[in-house]
Amino acid sequence: MRGRAGGLVRIGEPGDAGDTGQATAGRASVNTVEEDSARRTLLTLAVRDYGDGDTEFTAGIDEQLSVVADWWCAPGAPEPFTHVPAPELRERYDVERFLHESEVREMRGRALVVFITGHGQLGASRTHFLQLPRTEPRRQLATAIRTSEIVAAALDSRAEHVLVVINTCYAAGIAEELEKLHQEILPSRRTGGSLDVVATCAHDQLVQVRQFPSVLRRVLERLRTTAQITTPWLSVAHLMTEFESELGTDTERRKHRLKRVLDGGGQTALTPCLPNPGYRPLRELVGPARRQVATPADEVDHWLDRASGRPQETDPGWYFSGREALGRAITAFLGRPRGVLLLTGTAGSGKSAVLARAVTLSDPLFRDDPRYGRALRSAAPETVPPEGSVTAAVLARHRTVSDVLGDLLRALELPPRPAGPTDDPVELRRAQLLAHLDEPGDPVTLVLDGLDESVEPFRVVRDVLAPLTAHCGAAPALPGQRRAERQRSLRLLIGVRSSRPRADHAAPPGPAGREAGLLGALREVFPTASVLRTDETDSESDIADYVQALVGAETSGGDSTRQAAETVAKRVWPSFLDARLAGEQLHHASDPDALAGNPDWLDLLQAGTIGLLRRDLALVEDEGLPAEVALALLRAAAFALGAGIPWSDVWPAVAGALLGRPVEESDRMIENLLKSRLAGYLAHDDEDDRLVYRPAHEALAELLRDPRQDLLAGVGGDAV
């Protein structure tokens, strides 16, 4: 009988009649593979003491092992690594025995990480050796161990993904050996997983035993704080980027850059060998098809927290009870078989919030969440859309026509067909969308928000929305458009900014007439569309309710709070953006009634967003965040393309360029900003695996980008 070797199941003797040893072994092998497939292992081979009395070296090695264990085996990690440390390594046999007893060559699992540290030496043949206390300098082949033997044992193991980190003198000198050895590994293994080797020293560098752990510790802290990478796993490129960012531009420190000796996974591929210590799973309220437009979880929770201190337990808070008239109208529309509804209004009048509420409340995942059940049931039924009534919701902000079509297809669970060299992606994706709508099936509701913020909004109207007219019944079918009896019916709900008509001229219910801009273009395409405005005169009462909810009954007396809310509403109408900023200032004021009655503060309200922002900049100045720095950080976020600006090195660099000088203690300044009253001016998102920040509203972003606005005027004086 052969015994178990390196994780292979032993082959037993033939069993009883009807069962063979091979069959038993086969079942055991399957079980073992299943049990080991998710294993994550960290092996550390460290030569701590060379017997030369160098206690500084030993302390440095111990520090290295500490930070490596803290990273890969952190307590409470969702998928921690099992740490297998090598015993004291004195001679070559100790290393060979450890490789055998830990079964490295036959080790299975999802991920294997090997960390090698100690003194290294490049021989006359350019072979890299790990030095041991009993190594004889003139007999490297016999008394040292070739570092490539350790690395090759890991690379050619049975683990799916392997990462080896070599922190020895001349570590990068192993590259030539590994390039040849790598060719001995089966092609299927080389391409099936990721096999990466990283060195901390160049081929001509001595190891700095205390340098590497101190930098790695700071990189670990960066990943936990400022890097804000949103994936549970990192790529090797992530590691190297953050390492270089920590080294900075100092020439001496940059000698210690990481070197990628073997690239087995690609620059951007995430590897299960590199857990992200800063990963915090985002709680999603709704399914992917509606996520772009839905309300973020923290905002819904914010309103429930505010509601929890109110006299009536059944009060669901503003989110569930606000803007009831608009909620009823949208809910009624979502109950129809087909049609078009245009939700419009001036900047900051709450279009996106109204759409987000309808999209969120229609989502089955949200409705099944017990945390929101009581609040949902207490909302007026006629303001709650039917479950599943929104099929897909897409945000057009900063998106091209092709992007919008691609997002719609993915939200409908239709992967966009790849375009060939002669294909027009817009035509290809539009045809795919129309083909889906031509098929028999349930009604489809598409929500498109932020049309005015698209890269090419009029093209979206022409190339995406206009071809849908036959399906939504908004116009007679155009020549060449077929209208099958059983094709899917379509509801379109579109959010778009527009100017407010004069008080004596309400929006006409019929043809668009001479109405200009995007709204006019939409009404020409959809002449029978319903139009809802978020800035009608009756919205002043909604704003008062909103401000009262923001201030909270626990902050001030009920009657005085209502009076203050109505005062604010008169001055900021129709801007819910300004109402939110004013309401938060009242909420945080030591005496909300006094602030609401202060004529100077009321004058700030009359100035709108500019006045409120200037006051908040003055207040953070008093709290230790320089106003010019805070403004530079906000402006940097406003100038960011895409979904926003990442923290890491980008936000400080852009803010410094706008400020005209480097931002001192930039990480601390950003942290202070995100904890200050100015945090309410920002929204966050996820883009390219990073948490990014942008102004909470496009109108605010436009203000911050406007070079004509002196937003620091009067900030140096006493704040109201």
Side-chain angles (χ1 to χ4, degrees):
M1 181 189 299
R2 282 187 294 181
R4 177 184 175 111
L8 294 177
V9 176
R10 81 174 67 226
I11 301 175
E13 299 294 337
D16 296 331
D19 188 17
T20 63
Q22 286 87 344
T24 303
R27 286 195 299 270
S29 178
V30 170
N31 292 338
T32 302
V33 171
E34 290 177 351
E35 291 171 3
D36 292 349
S37 62
R39 183 197 304 176
R40 290 177 168 82
T41 306
L42 168 67
L43 299 181
T44 52
L45 293 91
V47 187
R48 299 176 60 256
D49 185 1
Y50 283 87
D52 53 6
D54 189 347
T55 57
E56 182 76 6
F57 181 87
T58 301
I61 296 295
D62 289 343
E63 188 178 348
Q64 292 178 35
L65 295 174
S66 174
V67 67
V68 166
D70 192 17
W71 189 324
W72 274 268
C73 306
E79 298 180 80
F81 281 64
T82 299
H83 186 190
V84 182
E88 185 178 13
L89 302 175
R90 305 291 299 168
E91 59 186 356
R92 174 178 178 150
Y93 173 69
D94 294 332
V95 179
E96 293 171 336
R97 182 176 59 185
F98 174 67
L99 294 178
H100 173 71
E101 292 182 351
S102 61
E103 301 179 331
V104 175
R105 293 181 175 87
E106 297 297 334
M107 185 170 289
R108 298 182 183 273
R110 177 72 169 154
L112 170 61
V113 176
V114 180
F115 179 69
I116 305 168
T117 184
H119 284 308
Q121 182 66 51
L122 272 181
S125 65
R126 307 299 292 173
T127 299
H128 191 276
F129 293 95
L130 178 64
Q131 304 295 286
L132 299 154
R134 293 180 183 170
T135 294
E136 299 177 26
R138 295 179 181 273
R139 301 182 64 225
Q140 293 286 329
L141 283 172
T143 62
I145 188 163
R146 282 176 292 180
T147 312
S148 60
E149 289 188 34
I150 306 171
V151 178
L155 296 181
D156 207 22
S157 68
R158 299 182 185 275
E160 185 177 355
H161 300 272
V162 177
L163 170 66
V164 181
V165 179
I166 309 172
N167 184 41
T168 69
C169 306
Y170 317 118
I174 198 175
E176 188 174 341
E177 293 175 75
L178 288 186
E179 184 178 355
K180 294 178 180 178
L181 290 174
H182 189 239
Q183 298 175 32
E184 299 294 338
I185 298 173
L186 287 174
S188 59
R189 173 155 178 76
R190 295 201 304 263
T191 59
S194 57
L195 307 176
D196 293 290
V197 180
V198 174
T200 66
C201 287
H203 68 281
D204 57 353
Q205 270 185 305
L206 297 175
V207 67
Q208 300 293 315
V209 73
R210 301 304 288 267
Q211 176 79 18
F212 176 72
S214 63
V215 175
L216 193 64
R217 178 72 69 182
R218 290 194 294 272
V219 170
L220 177 59
E221 187 60 26
R222 284 178 64 88
L223 288 166
R224 286 172 173 166
T225 55
T226 64
Q228 298 195 329
I229 298 172
T230 57
T231 54
W233 306 102
L234 305 173
S235 66
V236 176
H238 280 141
L239 172 64
M240 299 182 73
T241 298
E242 296 305 319
F243 206 89
E244 294 219 4
S245 296
E246 182 53 44
L247 293 174
T249 58
D250 182 82
T251 305
E252 190 63 30
R253 296 186 74 207
R254 287 184 67 79
K255 291 180 181 178
H256 307 289
R257 298 167 63 195
L258 297 180
K259 286 81 181 170
R260 194 164 188 177
V261 176
L262 188 65
D263 178 0
Q267 282 295 314
T268 59
L270 304 180
T271 169
C273 294
L274 277 172
N276 178 6
Y279 175 66
R280 301 292 182 271
L282 295 176
R283 186 166 58 84
E284 299 290 0
L285 287 186
V286 303
R290 289 162 284 274
R291 201 163 287 164
Q292 285 191 21
V293 176
T295 312
D298 53 0
E299 186 173 333
V300 179
D301 292 343
H302 165 84
W303 286 113
L304 289 184
D305 289 343
R306 288 282 175 92
S308 64
R310 300 184 181 197
Q312 299 179 7
E313 287 189 357
T314 57
D315 185 354
W318 165 263
Y319 179 81
F320 292 90
S321 61
R323 311 212 77 171
E324 188 170 316
L326 287 172
R328 286 198 306 270
I330 291 177
T331 299
F333 170 77
L334 292 175
R336 300 172 192 163
R338 63 176 72 229
V340 179
L341 175 60
L342 307 177
L343 184 68
T344 190
T346 55
S349 59
K351 299 178 296 298
S352 293
V354 171
L355 284 178
R357 179 187 184 275
V359 169
T360 304
L361 297 190
S362 74
D363 186 82
L365 186 65
F366 177 82
R367 294 165 78 109
D368 288 343
D369 194 323
R371 284 170 290 196
Y372 310 112
R374 188 172 66 180
L376 187 61
R377 288 190 297 271
S378 64
E382 62 273 17
T383 69
V384 179
E387 182 172 345
S389 56
V390 173
T391 314
V394 167
L395 184 63
R397 180 180 184 270
H398 291 182
R399 308 293 280 166
T400 65
V401 173
S402 181
D403 294 333
V404 171
L405 281 166
D407 289 345
L408 284 170
L409 289 173
R410 281 183 284 269
L412 292 169
E413 299 182 354
L414 301 169
R417 297 188 187 118
T422 60
D423 291 328
D424 180 344
V426 172
E427 291 182 4
L428 194 67
R429 294 179 176 187
R430 182 175 58 220
Q432 189 177 355
L433 176 61
L434 291 174
H436 175 71
L437 294 175
D438 279 342
E439 296 172 354
D442 295 332
V444 171
T445 302
L446 302 181
V447 176
L448 180 66
D449 189 25
L451 174 60
D452 49 282
E453 299 175 43
S454 166
V455 174
E456 38 192 2
F458 286 95
R459 277 201 66 196
V460 173
V461 174
R462 184 190 69 197
D463 295 340
V464 179
L465 300 176
L468 304 178
T469 54
H471 293 272
C472 55
L478 299 176
Q481 286 182 326
R482 63 189 183 86
R483 191 162 178 175
E485 291 184 2
R486 297 188 62 198
Q487 68 180 8
R488 300 175 194 270
S489 61
L490 176 65
R491 292 181 293 249
L492 276 178
L493 178 52
I494 303 168
V496 60
R497 186 195 305 189
S498 68
S499 57
R500 189 161 52 90
R502 297 199 315 269
D504 57 340
H505 288 84
R514 291 180 294 176
E515 193 158 20
L518 272 175
L519 182 60
L522 286 167
R523 287 175 61 79
E524 287 179 5
V525 171
F526 304 113
T528 61
S530 301
V531 179
L532 276 178
R533 297 199 66 91
T534 54
D535 53 8
E536 298 286 12
T537 53
D538 58 0
S539 65
E540 184 178 317
S541 176
D542 286 332
I543 289 179
D545 293 341
Y546 181 54
V547 174
Q548 185 174 10
L550 284 166
V551 177
E554 75 280 7
T555 306
S556 183
D559 292 341
S560 59
T561 300
R562 183 63 191 183
Q563 184 178 355
E566 290 175 350
T567 301
V568 169
K570 284 183 173 62
R571 283 168 170 77
V572 302
W573 177 84
S575 176
F576 274 80
L577 171 62
D578 292 345
R580 180 170 67 81
L581 300 177
E584 292 294 343
Q585 289 188 5
L586 285 171
H587 179 76
H588 293 292
S590 57
D591 188 344
D593 292 337
L595 181 61
N598 188 315
D600 292 334
W601 187 71
L602 295 177
D603 288 342
L604 289 180
L605 296 186
Q606 207 70 44
T609 309
I610 292 178
L612 293 162
L613 175 57
R614 284 173 177 161
R615 179 176 186 269
D616 281 328
L617 286 170
L619 290 171
V620 296
E621 175 93 37
D622 295 339
E623 296 168 2
L625 176 60
E628 68 274 14
V629 172
L631 180 59
L633 292 170
L634 290 175
R635 293 188 67 214
F639 278 105
L641 300 176
I645 193 166
W647 185 338
S648 192
D649 297 324
V650 179
W651 203 351
V654 177
L658 293 169
L659 190 61
R661 56 180 169 80
V663 178
E664 297 182 7
E665 299 183 89
S666 58
D667 289 340
R668 187 172 69 85
M669 291 296 103
I670 294 174
E671 184 178 5
N672 288 347
L673 174 74
L674 296 177
K675 291 179 178 178
S676 74
R677 62 181 59 243
L678 291 174
Y681 288 76
L682 294 169
H684 59 266
D685 207 337
D686 179 355
E687 185 175 52
D688 295 333
D689 298 337
R690 298 268 183 170
L691 193 64
V692 295
Y693 299 86
R694 67 172 184 269
H697 196 280
E698 185 60 24
L700 176 60
E702 291 170 359
L703 173 65
L704 289 165
R705 290 193 296 260
D706 189 346
R708 300 167 299 177
Q709 301 294 343
D710 183 3
L711 298 175
L712 292 175
V715 169
D718 294 333
V720 177

